[in-house]
Short mmCIF file of all heavy atoms in Angstrom, two decimals:
data_model
loop_
_atom_site.label_atom_id
_atom_site.label_comp_id
_atom_site.label_asym_id
_atom_site.label_seq_id
_atom_site.Cartn_x
_atom_site.Cartn_y
_atom_site.Cartn_z
N MET A 17 22.87 -0.67 19.42
CA MET A 17 22.15 -0.73 18.15
C MET A 17 20.77 -0.12 18.32
O MET A 17 20.02 -0.47 19.20
CB MET A 17 22.04 -2.19 17.72
CG MET A 17 21.33 -2.38 16.44
SD MET A 17 21.43 -4.09 15.96
CE MET A 17 20.35 -4.04 14.61
N SER A 18 20.45 0.79 17.46
CA SER A 18 19.16 1.47 17.53
C SER A 18 18.10 0.64 16.80
O SER A 18 18.31 0.14 15.71
CB SER A 18 19.28 2.83 16.86
OG SER A 18 18.02 3.44 16.82
N THR A 19 16.95 0.51 17.46
CA THR A 19 15.84 -0.23 16.85
C THR A 19 14.67 0.70 16.57
O THR A 19 13.53 0.30 16.64
CB THR A 19 15.38 -1.37 17.77
OG1 THR A 19 14.97 -0.81 19.02
CG2 THR A 19 16.46 -2.40 17.97
N SER A 20 14.96 1.95 16.27
CA SER A 20 13.90 2.91 16.05
C SER A 20 13.06 2.58 14.81
O SER A 20 11.91 2.97 14.72
CB SER A 20 14.47 4.32 15.92
OG SER A 20 15.30 4.39 14.80
N PHE A 21 13.64 1.85 13.87
CA PHE A 21 12.88 1.51 12.67
C PHE A 21 11.88 0.38 12.95
O PHE A 21 11.03 0.10 12.13
CB PHE A 21 13.80 1.11 11.52
CG PHE A 21 14.59 -0.14 11.77
CD1 PHE A 21 14.11 -1.36 11.36
CD2 PHE A 21 15.81 -0.09 12.42
CE1 PHE A 21 14.83 -2.51 11.59
CE2 PHE A 21 16.53 -1.23 12.65
CZ PHE A 21 16.04 -2.45 12.24
N LEU A 22 11.95 -0.24 14.11
CA LEU A 22 11.02 -1.31 14.45
C LEU A 22 9.82 -0.81 15.26
O LEU A 22 8.95 -1.60 15.61
CB LEU A 22 11.74 -2.40 15.25
CG LEU A 22 12.81 -3.18 14.49
CD1 LEU A 22 13.49 -4.16 15.43
CD2 LEU A 22 12.21 -3.90 13.32
N ASN A 23 9.77 0.46 15.58
CA ASN A 23 8.69 1.01 16.39
C ASN A 23 7.53 1.45 15.51
O ASN A 23 7.31 2.63 15.29
CB ASN A 23 9.19 2.19 17.23
CG ASN A 23 10.19 1.74 18.25
OD1 ASN A 23 10.14 0.61 18.71
ND2 ASN A 23 11.10 2.62 18.61
N PHE A 24 6.76 0.50 15.02
CA PHE A 24 5.61 0.81 14.20
C PHE A 24 4.38 0.93 15.08
O PHE A 24 4.22 0.22 16.06
CB PHE A 24 5.36 -0.28 13.16
CG PHE A 24 6.27 -0.21 11.98
CD1 PHE A 24 7.39 -0.99 11.91
CD2 PHE A 24 5.99 0.65 10.94
CE1 PHE A 24 8.22 -0.93 10.83
CE2 PHE A 24 6.81 0.72 9.85
CZ PHE A 24 7.94 -0.07 9.79
N ASP A 25 3.50 1.82 14.72
CA ASP A 25 2.24 1.99 15.40
C ASP A 25 1.28 0.89 14.95
O ASP A 25 1.33 0.43 13.81
CB ASP A 25 1.68 3.37 15.07
CG ASP A 25 0.44 3.71 15.86
OD1 ASP A 25 0.43 3.43 17.07
OD2 ASP A 25 -0.50 4.26 15.26
N PHE A 26 0.37 0.48 15.83
CA PHE A 26 -0.59 -0.56 15.51
C PHE A 26 -1.44 -0.17 14.31
O PHE A 26 -1.69 -0.99 13.42
CB PHE A 26 -1.48 -0.84 16.73
CG PHE A 26 -2.60 -1.79 16.44
CD1 PHE A 26 -2.34 -3.15 16.28
CD2 PHE A 26 -3.89 -1.34 16.32
CE1 PHE A 26 -3.37 -4.03 16.01
CE2 PHE A 26 -4.92 -2.21 16.05
CZ PHE A 26 -4.66 -3.56 15.90
N TYR A 27 -1.88 1.07 14.26
CA TYR A 27 -2.74 1.52 13.16
C TYR A 27 -1.96 1.59 11.85
O TYR A 27 -2.51 1.30 10.78
CB TYR A 27 -3.38 2.86 13.48
CG TYR A 27 -4.38 2.74 14.60
CD1 TYR A 27 -4.11 3.24 15.86
CD2 TYR A 27 -5.59 2.09 14.40
CE1 TYR A 27 -5.02 3.10 16.89
CE2 TYR A 27 -6.51 1.94 15.42
CZ TYR A 27 -6.22 2.46 16.66
OH TYR A 27 -7.12 2.30 17.67
N ALA A 28 -0.70 1.94 11.90
CA ALA A 28 0.12 1.96 10.69
C ALA A 28 0.26 0.54 10.14
O ALA A 28 0.22 0.32 8.93
CB ALA A 28 1.49 2.55 10.97
N LEU A 29 0.40 -0.44 11.03
CA LEU A 29 0.47 -1.83 10.58
C LEU A 29 -0.86 -2.29 9.98
O LEU A 29 -0.89 -3.00 8.98
CB LEU A 29 0.87 -2.74 11.73
CG LEU A 29 2.30 -2.58 12.23
CD1 LEU A 29 2.52 -3.43 13.47
CD2 LEU A 29 3.27 -2.97 11.15
N CYS A 30 -1.97 -1.88 10.60
CA CYS A 30 -3.29 -2.24 10.07
C CYS A 30 -3.53 -1.61 8.70
O CYS A 30 -4.03 -2.27 7.79
CB CYS A 30 -4.38 -1.82 11.04
SG CYS A 30 -4.43 -2.80 12.54
N TYR A 31 -3.16 -0.34 8.56
CA TYR A 31 -3.31 0.32 7.26
C TYR A 31 -2.42 -0.35 6.22
O TYR A 31 -2.82 -0.55 5.08
CB TYR A 31 -2.96 1.80 7.35
CG TYR A 31 -3.90 2.63 8.19
CD1 TYR A 31 -3.43 3.71 8.93
CD2 TYR A 31 -5.25 2.34 8.26
CE1 TYR A 31 -4.28 4.47 9.70
CE2 TYR A 31 -6.10 3.10 9.04
CZ TYR A 31 -5.61 4.16 9.75
OH TYR A 31 -6.45 4.91 10.51
N GLY A 32 -1.21 -0.69 6.62
CA GLY A 32 -0.30 -1.36 5.70
C GLY A 32 -0.84 -2.72 5.26
O GLY A 32 -0.72 -3.09 4.09
N PHE A 33 -1.44 -3.44 6.19
CA PHE A 33 -2.02 -4.74 5.86
C PHE A 33 -3.20 -4.57 4.90
O PHE A 33 -3.30 -5.27 3.89
CB PHE A 33 -2.46 -5.45 7.14
CG PHE A 33 -3.05 -6.79 6.90
CD1 PHE A 33 -2.25 -7.86 6.54
CD2 PHE A 33 -4.41 -7.00 7.04
CE1 PHE A 33 -2.80 -9.11 6.32
CE2 PHE A 33 -4.96 -8.24 6.83
CZ PHE A 33 -4.16 -9.30 6.47
N PHE A 34 -4.08 -3.62 5.20
CA PHE A 34 -5.26 -3.40 4.36
C PHE A 34 -4.86 -2.97 2.95
O PHE A 34 -5.33 -3.52 1.96
CB PHE A 34 -6.18 -2.36 5.00
CG PHE A 34 -7.32 -1.97 4.12
CD1 PHE A 34 -8.38 -2.83 3.92
CD2 PHE A 34 -7.33 -0.74 3.46
CE1 PHE A 34 -9.44 -2.48 3.09
CE2 PHE A 34 -8.37 -0.38 2.63
CZ PHE A 34 -9.43 -1.26 2.45
N PHE A 35 -3.99 -1.96 2.87
CA PHE A 35 -3.59 -1.47 1.55
C PHE A 35 -2.69 -2.47 0.84
O PHE A 35 -2.62 -2.47 -0.39
CB PHE A 35 -2.92 -0.10 1.66
CG PHE A 35 -3.89 1.00 1.99
CD1 PHE A 35 -3.77 1.74 3.15
CD2 PHE A 35 -4.94 1.29 1.14
CE1 PHE A 35 -4.67 2.75 3.44
CE2 PHE A 35 -5.85 2.29 1.42
CZ PHE A 35 -5.71 3.03 2.58
N GLY A 36 -2.03 -3.34 1.57
CA GLY A 36 -1.27 -4.42 0.95
C GLY A 36 -2.18 -5.41 0.24
O GLY A 36 -1.86 -5.90 -0.84
N ILE A 37 -3.33 -5.69 0.86
CA ILE A 37 -4.31 -6.57 0.22
C ILE A 37 -4.87 -5.91 -1.04
O ILE A 37 -5.02 -6.56 -2.08
CB ILE A 37 -5.44 -6.93 1.21
CG1 ILE A 37 -4.90 -7.83 2.31
CG2 ILE A 37 -6.61 -7.59 0.50
CD1 ILE A 37 -5.87 -8.09 3.43
N VAL A 38 -5.17 -4.61 -0.96
CA VAL A 38 -5.64 -3.88 -2.14
C VAL A 38 -4.56 -3.90 -3.22
O VAL A 38 -4.86 -4.09 -4.41
CB VAL A 38 -6.03 -2.43 -1.76
CG1 VAL A 38 -6.33 -1.61 -3.00
CG2 VAL A 38 -7.20 -2.42 -0.81
N GLY A 39 -3.31 -3.72 -2.82
CA GLY A 39 -2.21 -3.75 -3.77
C GLY A 39 -2.03 -5.11 -4.42
O GLY A 39 -1.74 -5.20 -5.62
N TYR A 40 -2.22 -6.16 -3.64
CA TYR A 40 -2.11 -7.50 -4.21
C TYR A 40 -3.21 -7.74 -5.25
O TYR A 40 -2.95 -8.31 -6.32
CB TYR A 40 -2.20 -8.55 -3.11
CG TYR A 40 -2.12 -9.96 -3.61
CD1 TYR A 40 -0.93 -10.46 -4.13
CD2 TYR A 40 -3.23 -10.78 -3.60
CE1 TYR A 40 -0.86 -11.76 -4.61
CE2 TYR A 40 -3.17 -12.08 -4.07
CZ TYR A 40 -1.98 -12.55 -4.58
OH TYR A 40 -1.91 -13.84 -5.05
N ALA A 41 -4.42 -7.27 -4.95
CA ALA A 41 -5.52 -7.41 -5.91
C ALA A 41 -5.24 -6.61 -7.18
O ALA A 41 -5.49 -7.08 -8.29
CB ALA A 41 -6.83 -6.97 -5.27
N ALA A 42 -4.70 -5.40 -7.02
CA ALA A 42 -4.37 -4.58 -8.19
C ALA A 42 -3.25 -5.22 -9.00
O ALA A 42 -3.27 -5.20 -10.23
CB ALA A 42 -3.96 -3.17 -7.75
N TRP A 43 -2.27 -5.78 -8.32
CA TRP A 43 -1.16 -6.45 -9.01
C TRP A 43 -1.66 -7.65 -9.81
O TRP A 43 -1.27 -7.85 -10.96
CB TRP A 43 -0.12 -6.88 -7.98
CG TRP A 43 1.04 -7.60 -8.55
CD1 TRP A 43 2.06 -7.08 -9.27
CD2 TRP A 43 1.30 -8.99 -8.44
NE1 TRP A 43 2.94 -8.07 -9.62
CE2 TRP A 43 2.49 -9.26 -9.12
CE3 TRP A 43 0.63 -10.05 -7.82
CZ2 TRP A 43 3.02 -10.52 -9.21
CZ3 TRP A 43 1.16 -11.31 -7.90
CH2 TRP A 43 2.35 -11.54 -8.59
N ARG A 44 -2.55 -8.45 -9.19
CA ARG A 44 -3.11 -9.60 -9.91
C ARG A 44 -3.93 -9.16 -11.11
O ARG A 44 -3.86 -9.76 -12.18
CB ARG A 44 -3.99 -10.44 -8.97
CG ARG A 44 -3.28 -11.07 -7.83
CD ARG A 44 -3.05 -12.50 -7.98
NE ARG A 44 -4.10 -13.18 -8.69
CZ ARG A 44 -4.42 -14.43 -8.51
NH1 ARG A 44 -3.79 -15.12 -7.61
NH2 ARG A 44 -5.35 -15.00 -9.22
N TYR A 45 -4.72 -8.11 -10.94
CA TYR A 45 -5.51 -7.58 -12.05
C TYR A 45 -4.59 -7.07 -13.17
O TYR A 45 -4.86 -7.30 -14.35
CB TYR A 45 -6.42 -6.46 -11.55
CG TYR A 45 -7.18 -5.77 -12.65
CD1 TYR A 45 -8.31 -6.37 -13.22
CD2 TYR A 45 -6.78 -4.53 -13.13
CE1 TYR A 45 -9.01 -5.74 -14.23
CE2 TYR A 45 -7.48 -3.90 -14.14
CZ TYR A 45 -8.58 -4.51 -14.69
OH TYR A 45 -9.26 -3.90 -15.70
N GLY A 46 -3.52 -6.39 -12.79
CA GLY A 46 -2.58 -5.87 -13.78
C GLY A 46 -1.88 -6.98 -14.54
O GLY A 46 -1.62 -6.84 -15.74
N ARG A 47 -1.55 -8.06 -13.86
CA ARG A 47 -0.93 -9.18 -14.56
C ARG A 47 -1.91 -9.85 -15.51
O ARG A 47 -1.53 -10.28 -16.60
CB ARG A 47 -0.43 -10.22 -13.55
CG ARG A 47 0.86 -9.80 -12.90
CD ARG A 47 1.51 -10.90 -12.12
NE ARG A 47 1.77 -12.04 -12.97
CZ ARG A 47 1.79 -13.29 -12.55
NH1 ARG A 47 1.57 -13.56 -11.29
NH2 ARG A 47 2.04 -14.28 -13.37
N LYS A 48 -3.17 -9.95 -15.11
CA LYS A 48 -4.17 -10.59 -15.96
C LYS A 48 -4.46 -9.77 -17.20
O LYS A 48 -4.64 -10.32 -18.29
CB LYS A 48 -5.46 -10.80 -15.16
CG LYS A 48 -6.50 -11.62 -15.88
CD LYS A 48 -7.63 -12.00 -14.96
CE LYS A 48 -8.65 -10.92 -14.95
NZ LYS A 48 -9.92 -11.31 -14.31
N THR A 49 -4.48 -8.43 -17.06
CA THR A 49 -4.82 -7.56 -18.18
C THR A 49 -3.59 -6.96 -18.86
O THR A 49 -3.75 -6.15 -19.77
CB THR A 49 -5.74 -6.43 -17.72
OG1 THR A 49 -5.06 -5.65 -16.74
CG2 THR A 49 -7.04 -6.97 -17.17
N GLN A 50 -2.39 -7.30 -18.39
CA GLN A 50 -1.14 -6.78 -18.92
C GLN A 50 -1.07 -5.25 -18.80
O GLN A 50 -0.57 -4.56 -19.68
CB GLN A 50 -0.94 -7.19 -20.38
CG GLN A 50 -0.85 -8.69 -20.59
CD GLN A 50 0.36 -9.28 -19.88
OE1 GLN A 50 1.43 -8.70 -19.94
NE2 GLN A 50 0.18 -10.40 -19.22
N SER A 51 -1.57 -4.71 -17.68
CA SER A 51 -1.56 -3.27 -17.42
C SER A 51 -0.38 -2.95 -16.51
O SER A 51 -0.40 -3.27 -15.32
CB SER A 51 -2.87 -2.84 -16.76
OG SER A 51 -2.79 -1.52 -16.32
N THR A 52 0.64 -2.29 -17.08
CA THR A 52 1.82 -1.97 -16.27
C THR A 52 1.49 -0.93 -15.18
O THR A 52 2.13 -0.93 -14.14
CB THR A 52 2.95 -1.42 -17.16
OG1 THR A 52 2.49 -0.30 -17.89
CG2 THR A 52 3.45 -2.50 -18.10
N ARG A 53 0.50 -0.11 -15.43
CA ARG A 53 0.09 0.87 -14.41
C ARG A 53 -0.44 0.19 -13.17
O ARG A 53 -0.06 0.53 -12.04
CB ARG A 53 -0.96 1.79 -15.00
CG ARG A 53 -1.49 2.80 -14.04
CD ARG A 53 -2.49 3.71 -14.71
NE ARG A 53 -3.00 4.63 -13.75
CZ ARG A 53 -4.21 5.11 -13.79
NH1 ARG A 53 -5.03 4.77 -14.76
NH2 ARG A 53 -4.62 5.96 -12.88
N HIS A 54 -1.31 -0.80 -13.34
CA HIS A 54 -1.86 -1.51 -12.19
C HIS A 54 -0.81 -2.38 -11.51
O HIS A 54 -0.84 -2.54 -10.29
CB HIS A 54 -3.07 -2.35 -12.63
CG HIS A 54 -4.27 -1.52 -12.90
ND1 HIS A 54 -4.55 -1.05 -14.15
CD2 HIS A 54 -5.24 -1.06 -12.08
CE1 HIS A 54 -5.67 -0.34 -14.10
NE2 HIS A 54 -6.11 -0.33 -12.86
N ILE A 55 0.09 -2.93 -12.28
CA ILE A 55 1.18 -3.72 -11.69
C ILE A 55 2.06 -2.83 -10.82
O ILE A 55 2.37 -3.16 -9.67
CB ILE A 55 2.01 -4.42 -12.78
CG1 ILE A 55 1.19 -5.51 -13.46
CG2 ILE A 55 3.27 -5.01 -12.18
CD1 ILE A 55 1.85 -6.12 -14.67
N ALA A 56 2.43 -1.67 -11.33
CA ALA A 56 3.30 -0.75 -10.58
C ALA A 56 2.61 -0.20 -9.34
O ALA A 56 3.21 -0.15 -8.26
CB ALA A 56 3.75 0.39 -11.48
N LEU A 57 1.36 0.21 -9.48
CA LEU A 57 0.64 0.73 -8.32
C LEU A 57 0.37 -0.37 -7.29
O LEU A 57 0.41 -0.12 -6.08
CB LEU A 57 -0.68 1.38 -8.75
CG LEU A 57 -0.54 2.73 -9.44
CD1 LEU A 57 -1.87 3.17 -10.02
CD2 LEU A 57 -0.01 3.76 -8.47
N GLY A 58 0.11 -1.58 -7.75
CA GLY A 58 -0.06 -2.69 -6.83
C GLY A 58 1.20 -2.98 -6.04
O GLY A 58 1.17 -3.19 -4.82
N LEU A 59 2.33 -2.97 -6.71
CA LEU A 59 3.60 -3.17 -6.02
C LEU A 59 3.88 -2.03 -5.04
O LEU A 59 4.36 -2.27 -3.93
CB LEU A 59 4.74 -3.30 -7.02
CG LEU A 59 4.81 -4.61 -7.79
CD1 LEU A 59 5.88 -4.54 -8.86
CD2 LEU A 59 5.07 -5.75 -6.84
N ALA A 60 3.58 -0.81 -5.44
CA ALA A 60 3.78 0.33 -4.56
C ALA A 60 2.91 0.22 -3.31
O ALA A 60 3.36 0.50 -2.19
CB ALA A 60 3.49 1.63 -5.29
N LEU A 61 1.66 -0.20 -3.48
CA LEU A 61 0.77 -0.38 -2.34
C LEU A 61 1.25 -1.49 -1.41
O LEU A 61 1.06 -1.42 -0.19
CB LEU A 61 -0.65 -0.67 -2.81
CG LEU A 61 -1.48 0.54 -3.21
CD1 LEU A 61 -2.71 0.10 -3.99
CD2 LEU A 61 -1.88 1.32 -1.97
N MET A 62 1.84 -2.52 -1.96
CA MET A 62 2.32 -3.61 -1.12
C MET A 62 3.61 -3.26 -0.38
O MET A 62 3.87 -3.81 0.68
CB MET A 62 2.54 -4.87 -1.97
CG MET A 62 1.27 -5.52 -2.43
SD MET A 62 1.53 -7.11 -3.20
CE MET A 62 2.16 -6.66 -4.79
N VAL A 63 4.41 -2.33 -0.91
CA VAL A 63 5.74 -2.09 -0.36
C VAL A 63 5.83 -0.83 0.49
O VAL A 63 6.61 -0.79 1.44
CB VAL A 63 6.76 -2.03 -1.52
CG1 VAL A 63 8.12 -1.59 -1.06
CG2 VAL A 63 6.85 -3.38 -2.19
N TYR A 64 5.04 0.19 0.21
CA TYR A 64 5.26 1.48 0.86
C TYR A 64 5.16 1.42 2.38
O TYR A 64 5.82 2.17 3.09
CB TYR A 64 4.29 2.54 0.32
CG TYR A 64 2.96 2.57 1.04
CD1 TYR A 64 2.77 3.43 2.11
CD2 TYR A 64 1.92 1.73 0.67
CE1 TYR A 64 1.56 3.46 2.79
CE2 TYR A 64 0.73 1.75 1.33
CZ TYR A 64 0.55 2.61 2.40
OH TYR A 64 -0.63 2.62 3.08
N SER A 65 4.33 0.55 2.91
CA SER A 65 4.11 0.52 4.36
C SER A 65 5.36 0.09 5.14
O SER A 65 5.44 0.36 6.34
CB SER A 65 2.94 -0.40 4.70
OG SER A 65 3.25 -1.72 4.36
N TYR A 66 6.32 -0.53 4.49
CA TYR A 66 7.57 -0.90 5.16
C TYR A 66 8.42 0.32 5.47
O TYR A 66 9.29 0.27 6.33
CB TYR A 66 8.38 -1.87 4.31
CG TYR A 66 7.76 -3.23 4.22
CD1 TYR A 66 7.15 -3.66 3.05
CD2 TYR A 66 7.78 -4.10 5.30
CE1 TYR A 66 6.58 -4.90 2.96
CE2 TYR A 66 7.20 -5.35 5.23
CZ TYR A 66 6.61 -5.74 4.05
OH TYR A 66 6.03 -6.98 3.97
N PHE A 67 8.20 1.41 4.77
CA PHE A 67 9.03 2.60 4.90
C PHE A 67 8.33 3.77 5.60
O PHE A 67 8.95 4.80 5.80
CB PHE A 67 9.51 3.05 3.52
CG PHE A 67 10.23 1.97 2.78
CD1 PHE A 67 9.64 1.32 1.72
CD2 PHE A 67 11.50 1.58 3.17
CE1 PHE A 67 10.30 0.31 1.04
CE2 PHE A 67 12.18 0.58 2.50
CZ PHE A 67 11.57 -0.06 1.44
N VAL A 68 7.04 3.62 5.94
CA VAL A 68 6.28 4.72 6.53
C VAL A 68 5.71 4.26 7.88
O VAL A 68 4.68 3.59 7.92
CB VAL A 68 5.12 5.15 5.58
CG1 VAL A 68 4.35 6.31 6.17
CG2 VAL A 68 5.65 5.49 4.22
N PRO A 69 6.36 4.62 8.99
CA PRO A 69 5.86 4.18 10.29
C PRO A 69 4.75 5.07 10.86
O PRO A 69 4.07 4.68 11.81
CB PRO A 69 7.10 4.25 11.19
CG PRO A 69 7.95 5.29 10.57
CD PRO A 69 7.68 5.22 9.09
N ASN A 70 4.53 6.25 10.32
CA ASN A 70 3.51 7.17 10.82
C ASN A 70 2.13 6.72 10.33
O ASN A 70 1.92 6.57 9.12
CB ASN A 70 3.82 8.58 10.33
CG ASN A 70 2.88 9.61 10.89
OD1 ASN A 70 1.82 9.30 11.41
ND2 ASN A 70 3.28 10.86 10.77
N PRO A 71 1.15 6.52 11.23
CA PRO A 71 -0.16 6.02 10.78
C PRO A 71 -0.92 6.98 9.87
O PRO A 71 -1.57 6.55 8.93
CB PRO A 71 -0.92 5.78 12.08
CG PRO A 71 -0.20 6.51 13.13
CD PRO A 71 1.21 6.65 12.69
N TRP A 72 -0.83 8.30 10.13
CA TRP A 72 -1.54 9.24 9.26
C TRP A 72 -0.91 9.28 7.88
O TRP A 72 -1.63 9.30 6.88
CB TRP A 72 -1.53 10.63 9.88
CG TRP A 72 -2.48 10.72 11.04
CD1 TRP A 72 -2.14 10.77 12.36
CD2 TRP A 72 -3.90 10.72 10.99
NE1 TRP A 72 -3.27 10.81 13.12
CE2 TRP A 72 -4.38 10.79 12.31
CE3 TRP A 72 -4.82 10.69 9.96
CZ2 TRP A 72 -5.72 10.81 12.63
CZ3 TRP A 72 -6.17 10.71 10.27
CH2 TRP A 72 -6.61 10.77 11.59
N ALA A 73 0.39 9.29 7.82
CA ALA A 73 1.06 9.29 6.52
C ALA A 73 0.78 7.99 5.78
O ALA A 73 0.54 8.00 4.57
CB ALA A 73 2.57 9.47 6.70
N SER A 74 0.78 6.88 6.50
CA SER A 74 0.49 5.59 5.89
C SER A 74 -0.92 5.57 5.31
O SER A 74 -1.14 5.08 4.20
CB SER A 74 0.65 4.48 6.93
OG SER A 74 0.38 3.23 6.37
N PHE A 75 -1.88 6.11 6.05
CA PHE A 75 -3.26 6.14 5.58
C PHE A 75 -3.40 6.99 4.32
O PHE A 75 -4.01 6.56 3.34
CB PHE A 75 -4.17 6.66 6.69
CG PHE A 75 -5.60 6.82 6.27
CD1 PHE A 75 -6.40 5.70 6.09
CD2 PHE A 75 -6.14 8.06 6.06
CE1 PHE A 75 -7.72 5.82 5.69
CE2 PHE A 75 -7.45 8.21 5.67
CZ PHE A 75 -8.25 7.08 5.49
N PHE A 76 -2.83 8.20 4.34
CA PHE A 76 -3.00 9.09 3.19
C PHE A 76 -2.21 8.65 1.97
O PHE A 76 -2.67 8.83 0.84
CB PHE A 76 -2.66 10.53 3.58
CG PHE A 76 -3.72 11.15 4.44
CD1 PHE A 76 -3.44 11.56 5.73
CD2 PHE A 76 -5.02 11.29 3.98
CE1 PHE A 76 -4.44 12.11 6.53
CE2 PHE A 76 -6.01 11.85 4.76
CZ PHE A 76 -5.72 12.25 6.04
N ILE A 77 -1.06 8.05 2.16
CA ILE A 77 -0.31 7.51 1.03
C ILE A 77 -1.07 6.34 0.41
O ILE A 77 -1.21 6.25 -0.81
CB ILE A 77 1.11 7.10 1.44
CG1 ILE A 77 1.94 8.34 1.77
CG2 ILE A 77 1.79 6.29 0.34
CD1 ILE A 77 3.28 8.02 2.40
N GLY A 78 -1.57 5.45 1.25
CA GLY A 78 -2.35 4.32 0.75
C GLY A 78 -3.62 4.77 0.06
O GLY A 78 -4.00 4.23 -1.00
N LEU A 79 -4.27 5.77 0.61
CA LEU A 79 -5.49 6.29 0.00
C LEU A 79 -5.18 6.94 -1.35
O LEU A 79 -5.93 6.76 -2.32
CB LEU A 79 -6.14 7.30 0.95
CG LEU A 79 -7.59 7.66 0.71
CD1 LEU A 79 -8.48 6.44 0.88
CD2 LEU A 79 -8.01 8.74 1.69
N SER A 80 -4.07 7.67 -1.43
CA SER A 80 -3.70 8.31 -2.69
C SER A 80 -3.34 7.28 -3.76
O SER A 80 -3.77 7.41 -4.91
CB SER A 80 -2.49 9.22 -2.46
OG SER A 80 -2.80 10.21 -1.53
N LEU A 81 -2.58 6.27 -3.38
CA LEU A 81 -2.21 5.23 -4.36
C LEU A 81 -3.44 4.45 -4.81
O LEU A 81 -3.56 4.08 -5.98
CB LEU A 81 -1.16 4.30 -3.77
CG LEU A 81 0.23 4.90 -3.58
CD1 LEU A 81 1.13 3.92 -2.82
CD2 LEU A 81 0.84 5.26 -4.92
N THR A 82 -4.37 4.19 -3.89
CA THR A 82 -5.59 3.49 -4.26
C THR A 82 -6.43 4.36 -5.18
O THR A 82 -7.05 3.87 -6.13
CB THR A 82 -6.40 3.12 -3.00
OG1 THR A 82 -5.59 2.30 -2.17
CG2 THR A 82 -7.66 2.36 -3.36
N GLY A 83 -6.47 5.66 -4.91
CA GLY A 83 -7.19 6.57 -5.80
C GLY A 83 -6.61 6.60 -7.20
O GLY A 83 -7.34 6.71 -8.18
N LEU A 84 -5.29 6.48 -7.30
CA LEU A 84 -4.65 6.45 -8.62
C LEU A 84 -5.03 5.20 -9.41
O LEU A 84 -4.97 5.21 -10.64
CB LEU A 84 -3.14 6.54 -8.47
CG LEU A 84 -2.58 7.91 -8.10
CD1 LEU A 84 -1.07 7.81 -7.86
CD2 LEU A 84 -2.88 8.92 -9.17
N LEU A 85 -5.39 4.14 -8.71
CA LEU A 85 -5.82 2.93 -9.42
C LEU A 85 -7.08 3.19 -10.25
O LEU A 85 -7.25 2.61 -11.32
CB LEU A 85 -6.11 1.79 -8.43
CG LEU A 85 -4.95 1.10 -7.81
CD1 LEU A 85 -5.43 0.14 -6.72
CD2 LEU A 85 -4.15 0.35 -8.85
N PHE A 86 -7.95 4.05 -9.74
CA PHE A 86 -9.23 4.30 -10.39
C PHE A 86 -9.26 5.58 -11.19
O PHE A 86 -10.28 5.91 -11.79
CB PHE A 86 -10.34 4.30 -9.34
CG PHE A 86 -10.45 2.99 -8.60
CD1 PHE A 86 -9.94 2.87 -7.32
CD2 PHE A 86 -11.01 1.90 -9.22
CE1 PHE A 86 -10.01 1.67 -6.66
CE2 PHE A 86 -11.09 0.68 -8.56
CZ PHE A 86 -10.59 0.57 -7.28
N TRP A 87 -8.17 6.33 -11.17
CA TRP A 87 -8.10 7.57 -11.95
C TRP A 87 -7.93 7.20 -13.43
O TRP A 87 -7.13 6.35 -13.76
CB TRP A 87 -6.90 8.38 -11.48
CG TRP A 87 -6.92 9.78 -11.96
CD1 TRP A 87 -6.33 10.25 -13.08
CD2 TRP A 87 -7.53 10.90 -11.33
NE1 TRP A 87 -6.55 11.59 -13.19
CE2 TRP A 87 -7.30 12.01 -12.13
CE3 TRP A 87 -8.29 11.04 -10.18
CZ2 TRP A 87 -7.78 13.26 -11.82
CZ3 TRP A 87 -8.77 12.30 -9.86
CH2 TRP A 87 -8.51 13.38 -10.68
N PRO A 88 -8.68 7.85 -14.31
CA PRO A 88 -8.60 7.43 -15.73
C PRO A 88 -7.29 7.67 -16.39
O PRO A 88 -6.43 8.29 -16.16
CB PRO A 88 -9.69 8.27 -16.39
CG PRO A 88 -10.17 9.25 -15.43
CD PRO A 88 -9.64 8.88 -14.09
#
């Protein structure tokens, strides 16, 4: 049995944790204001790190999704 999907880098996990917290805050804000955009982006920020083991990709995806939270 291959366990290649379990080989996460330490920095990828840290980025996932950080952007997960940002995503949780965005999700809570979206629920409070009934903003489906913030709810969807918050969920995406909380979930994407499970599928991206590369730390650079994890950082730039999280940064892009966080930037979309503040884009008008």
Side-chain angles (χ1 to χ4, degrees):
M17 180 174 172
S18 175
T19 59
S20 63
F21 65 93
L22 294 176
N23 294 331
F24 282 98
D25 187 43
F26 174 74
Y27 293 107
L29 291 174
C30 289
Y31 294 146
F33 181 73
F34 174 74
F35 288 119
I37 291 172
V38 172
Y40 179 70
W43 178 73
R44 296 256 326 209
Y45 175 78
R47 282 191 58 210
K48 188 170 87 168
T49 61
Q50 298 297 317
S51 171
T52 56
R53 178 177 178 212
H54 286 92
I55 291 172
L57 286 171
L59 286 174
L61 278 165
M62 288 189 284
V63 172
Y64 87 93
S65 65
Y66 290 107
F67 304 106
V68 182
N70 185 344
W72 286 106
S74 180
F75 176 73
F76 286 117
I77 291 171
L79 198 63
S80 300
L81 290 173
T82 302
L84 286 175
L85 285 172
F86 300 103
W87 194 268

